[in-house]
Amino acid sequence: MQDKKQKIITILGARPQFIKAAAVSAVFKNSVNEILVHTGQHYDSNMSEVFFEELDIPKPKYHLNVGSGSHGAMTGAMLTAIEAILVEEKPDFVLVYGDTNSTLAGALAASKLLIPVIHVEAGLRSFNKVMPEEQNRILTDHVSELLFVPTQTAVDNLKNEGITKGVHLVGDVMYDGILHFAKIAQEKSTILRDLNLEEKQFMLCTIHRAENTNDIQRLKAIFAGLNDSGQKIVLPLHPRTLKYVKEYGIEVSENISIIEPIGYLDMVRLEASAKKILTDSGGVQKEAFFLGIPCITLRDETEWVETIENGWNRLVGADSAKIQEAVLNFNPTENRIDYFGNGTSVEQMVQVIKSFQKKTIEIIRVTS
Ligand code: UD1
Ligand code: UDP
C-alpha cells in the first residue's frame, strides 16, 4: 500500500535547531514522512553529533557539509545544494526552524520551487536589523505558508508586517522538549559530579552572539563583569567565542571555568542547578524561564520580551557594572506566567499540517 503520509523535508544545521528537532521529530515519526537535511553549519561533534546521539534525533538522509565561511557564501552554497535535493525529493512541505543561515537557505530554496514552507518559531523580532538573525527571520516569515508561532507577541509582530494568513499560535517547541528532557537530564547527567559542582553554588554562562564576539570592546566588558563578579561561573564556550577570546587576548579570571560546549542533557542539568544564568543565547533565556532560574541577558534587546515583563530576565548589555549589579541583586520572585503554551505545540502543529493537506486536496478536486 502506498504511504499516504505527507512528506516533509526538514532543513537544520545549528545547535538550537537540533534541540528543537528532538521535540518535533519524535512526534512527527508517527504522523508524517520526515526527511532531515543537515546543512553542516555546525560540525564539531560537541556542536552537532552529540545531540543526534543523546536526543534520538533521526539520522539525516543528506549532509551538505557547508560549515563556516561568510554569510553569503554559506547561505548560497546551502541554497544550491538544498534546491537539488528538493527537485529530487518533491516534498509536500519544507520545514525550517528559527533564524539561522540554514533557515533562510531552506526557506528560499523551497519558496522558489513553490513548495510550502513551514516556519517553526516564526514571528520573533529584536527590531535590530544589524543582527543576521533578524534578517533571516523577517525574510523567512515573508515566504512561509505555515507560521508556527510560540507567543502572542510573535503573532502581533507578524500582524504589524501584514502577515496574518497561515499563522498558528501553538506554543514553544522548546518548552515541549524541556518538559520531556529535564527529567532524563536529572537521572542521567553526571555533570555536577564531573565538574565538582554543588547545587546553587555556581552561575552558568554562555556567550556566542556575533554582536558580542565580533566586538572587542563588548567582549572585554562582558569578561570584566564576569571576572569581577566574585562568583564561580561555568562557561561552556562556543568555538566562535573561544577563538575571539584568544585573538583579543582577553583576561579570564580563576572564578571562571571555561569548558567545551556540552550536550543538551548536561546543559539542562547545569541550568536547573545554577544560582543564576548569564547568556546572550535565545534558547538559554527561555530555558532559564522554563526552569525558574533568574536570567541576566548580555544583550541590549531580546525577542523574548515576556520573560523581561514577568520579571525573570534582565537586560544588561555588555556593561560590566550592570552585570555585577545583577549578579548580586537580581532576585526575581514573581509567579511565572505560561506564555509558552502547555507542552503540546508539536501535536498542534501536526493537526494544522494535516488539515492544510486536506484543504489542498479539496482545491485540486474543485479545480480539476
Ligand atoms: C549560528 C547562528 C545563530 C545561532 C547560533 C547557535 C547564523 C547567522 N547564526 O551562529 O543565530 O544563535 O548558530 O549556536 O546562522 N564553529 C566551529 N565549529 C562548529 C560551528 C562553528 O568551530 O561546529 C566556529 C567557526 O569558526 C565558524 C564560527 O564558529 O565560522 C561561527 O559559526 P556560524 O555557524 O557561522 O555562526 P554561530 O555563531 O554558530
Ligand atoms: N546548549 C547546549 N550546550 C551548550 C550550550 C547550549 O546544549 O554548551 C543548548 C541550550 O540548552 C539551548 C540551545 O543549545 O537549548 C541554545 O543554542 P545556542 O545558544 O547555541 O543558540 P540560540 O538559541 O541563541 O540561537
Side-chain angles (χ1 to χ4, degrees):
M1 206 177 114
Q2 219 186 340
D3 185 8
K4 289 274 174 18
K5 287 180 179 171
Q6 284 136 312
K7 183 170 177 178
I8 299 183
I9 298 251
T10 295
I11 312 291
L12 75 186
R15 176 167 65 187
Q17 296 167 336
F18 309 140
I19 285 149
K20 287 162 200 162
V24 173
S25 297
V27 177
F28 271 16
K29 85 173 169 225
N30 302 319
S31 332
V32 302
N33 170 15
E34 186 187 35
I35 293 173
L36 299 189
V37 176
H38 190 321
T39 63
Q41 180 168 350
H42 286 175
Y43 47 87
D44 292 345
S45 73
N46 58 17
M47 294 291 288
S48 172
E49 209 179 314
V50 62
F51 302 105
F52 285 84
E53 279 169 6
E54 72 175 12
L55 307 180
D56 213 13
I57 305 168
K59 196 170 154 37
K61 180 170 173 185
Y62 299 92
H63 201 299
L64 311 182
N65 292 309
V66 183
S68 297
S70 66
H71 290 287
M74 191 195 283
T75 313
M78 289 173 188
L79 185 58
T80 307
I82 294 168
E83 183 178 63
I85 293 169
L86 299 184
V87 168
E88 176 75 24
E89 292 279 358
K90 300 182 182 50
D92 298 304
F93 297 95
V94 166
L95 184 148
V96 293
Y97 293 107
D99 54 19
T100 71
N101 290 342
S102 300
T103 314
L104 179 61
L108 212 48
S111 146
K112 296 267 184 187
L113 293 170
L114 305 182
I115 299 167
V117 176
I118 301 173
H119 188 199
V120 177
E121 209 180 68
L124 275 299
R125 297 289 182 269
S126 64
F127 303 101
N128 175 4
K129 281 202 186 152
V130 170
M131 291 176 71
E133 292 87 353
E134 184 77 351
Q135 301 172 15
N136 291 342
R137 291 177 194 128
I138 293 174
L139 295 167
T140 301
D141 283 339
H142 282 262
V143 297
S144 293
E145 200 98 15
L146 285 179
L147 299 97
F148 290 118
V149 171
T151 59
Q152 183 56 44
T153 308
V155 176
D156 299 342
N157 289 339
L158 290 172
K159 196 169 169 208
N160 289 339
E161 292 174 20
I163 304 176
T164 51
K165 220 175 133 240
V167 176
H168 298 271
L169 177 58
V170 293
D172 198 306
V173 299
M174 288 187 75
Y175 184 52
D176 294 22
I178 208 163
L179 288 178
H180 177 70
F181 287 113
K183 277 183 247 132
I184 301 174
Q186 186 72 26
E187 285 160 18
K188 286 198 176 166
S189 169
T190 58
I191 188 100
L192 291 184
R193 202 173 347 124
D194 299 345
L195 298 179
N196 204 12
L197 295 167
E198 284 175 38
E199 291 275 350
K200 305 295 168 191
Q201 299 302 310
F202 67 95
M203 298 199 179
L204 177 67
C205 180
T206 75
I207 309 164
H208 77 277
R209 209 44 79 179
E211 72 245 37
N212 286 331
T213 60
N214 297 16
D215 180 328
I216 186 167
Q217 298 309 335
R218 285 185 71 95
L219 200 58
K220 273 192 171 163
I222 288 172
F223 272 90
L226 303 179
N227 287 341
D228 296 342
S229 68
Q231 298 287 327
K232 180 166 186 55
I233 295 175
V234 179
L235 176 54
L237 206 53
H238 188 294
R240 172 216 274 282
T241 320
L242 187 61
K243 188 177 109 191
Y244 283 106
V245 166
K246 287 182 182 158
E247 201 171 300
Y248 300 153
I250 288 178
E251 188 203 323
V252 182
S253 299
E254 276 184 0
N255 61 315
I256 302 174
S257 306
I258 292 187
I259 58 173
E260 298 242 323
I262 50 180
Y264 182 65
L265 297 180
D266 284 342
M267 185 65 185
V268 171
R269 187 78 174 89
L270 283 187
E271 286 174 339
S273 306
K275 197 154 55 166
K276 293 181 188 175
I277 292 176
L278 300 112
T279 191
D280 59 7
S281 157
V284 175
Q285 286 177 67
K286 280 190 289 181
E287 286 163 356
F289 186 81
F290 300 155
L291 296 166
I293 310 298
C295 186
I296 300 165
T297 294
L298 307 165
R299 289 182 50 195
D300 299 324
E301 73 280 305
T302 179
E303 301 76 27
W304 305 106
V305 289
E306 298 80 5
T307 61
I308 305 273
E309 280 158 19
N310 203 185
W312 280 84
N313 191 357
R314 182 184 284 184
L315 293 175
V316 294
D319 181 321
S320 61
K322 283 190 186 167
I323 292 170
Q324 288 175 59
E325 205 278 324
V327 160
L328 283 179
N329 300 321
F330 180 49
N331 295 306
T333 52
E334 293 79 0
N335 288 331
R336 280 169 297 133
I337 299 171
D338 51 357
Y339 300 108
F340 296 94
N342 59 9
T344 63
S345 61
V346 187
E347 280 90 353
Q348 294 177 57
M349 280 166 45
V350 168
Q351 291 314 315
V352 174
I353 292 168
K354 282 188 172 163
S355 63
F356 184 92
Q357 192 199 30
K358 269 190 217 139
K359 260 193 261 163
T360 314
I361 290 167
E362 277 159 26
I363 292 163
I364 291 167
R365 267 202 215 108
V366 170
T367 54
S368 60

